[in-house]
Amino acid sequence: FIQSNIWLILTAVLAVYMLVWPPLSRQLSGVKDVGIMEAVQLINHQDAVVLDVREESEYYSGHVPHSRHIPLGALGKRHIELEKLKGHPLVVICRSGARSGSACGVLRKLGFEQVYNLAGGVGAWQQANMPLEK
């Protein structure tokens, strides 16, 4: 069976890997996914800063009020702008939560300890009828 269906088995293993690895790697790197309510509590009660890592056109089409904007591709060069915020929680957001998860990993490696990935990104924010600025 295995020899006859090796490509099918390899495809299935690859699919499982692609589904399991991203959340597992975030867990291992210390990045925590938060929902909308948790993010709002962090913002309101712990002075969390929202960092939007989408591209410029995405950001200007609508973003979380008072969020800071550093595209994921520029984070390596511009992380210095966030140095004074190392003691604050950072809620990182993108369109769906994938890029922000990567950004959280980068920020953790740079010494930011309180980094949270907004699960579902701006899409989830909009679905919860939360405000956006343009």
Side-chain angles (χ1 to χ4, degrees):
F1 174 79
I2 293 174
Q3 284 181 322
S4 315
N5 297 300
I6 190 70
W7 291 111
L8 180 62
I9 292 169
L10 289 174
T11 303
V13 167
L14 180 63
V16 168
Y17 171 79
M18 290 173 64
L19 289 172
V20 171
W21 180 248
L24 182 62
S25 67
R26 279 200 293 265
Q27 285 280 355
L28 294 174
S29 69
V31 174
K32 183 179 179 194
D33 286 342
V34 295
I36 301 300
M37 290 303 121
E38 289 173 289
V40 170
Q41 288 179 348
L42 286 166
I43 294 165
N44 290 339
H45 300 295
Q46 295 185 27
D47 294 325
V49 175
V50 178
L51 175 64
D52 195 317
V53 295
R54 296 177 297 157
E55 294 301 317
E56 192 169 330
S57 62
E58 294 174 287
Y59 180 78
Y60 288 114
S61 69
H63 56 272
V64 174
H66 311 293
S67 61
R68 293 179 182 243
H69 178 238
I70 300 177
L72 177 59
L75 190 57
K77 295 177 186 174
R78 293 181 52 193
H79 73 274
I80 296 167
E81 298 172 26
L82 302 172
E83 284 296 317
K84 61 186 170 211
L85 300 173
K86 275 195 174 178
H88 292 273
L90 286 176
V91 177
V92 186
I93 188 170
C94 68
R95 183 179 52 81
S96 65
R99 284 178 283 179
S100 54
S102 297
C104 287
V106 169
L107 290 165
R108 290 280 299 169
K109 288 179 184 173
L110 291 170
F112 292 85
E113 294 182 11
Q114 298 181 66
V115 180
Y116 302 92
N117 180 38
L118 183 66
V122 172
W125 187 267
Q126 286 178 303
Q127 281 186 324
N129 292 320
M130 299 302 286
L132 288 177
E133 289 181 341
K134 289 191 179 188

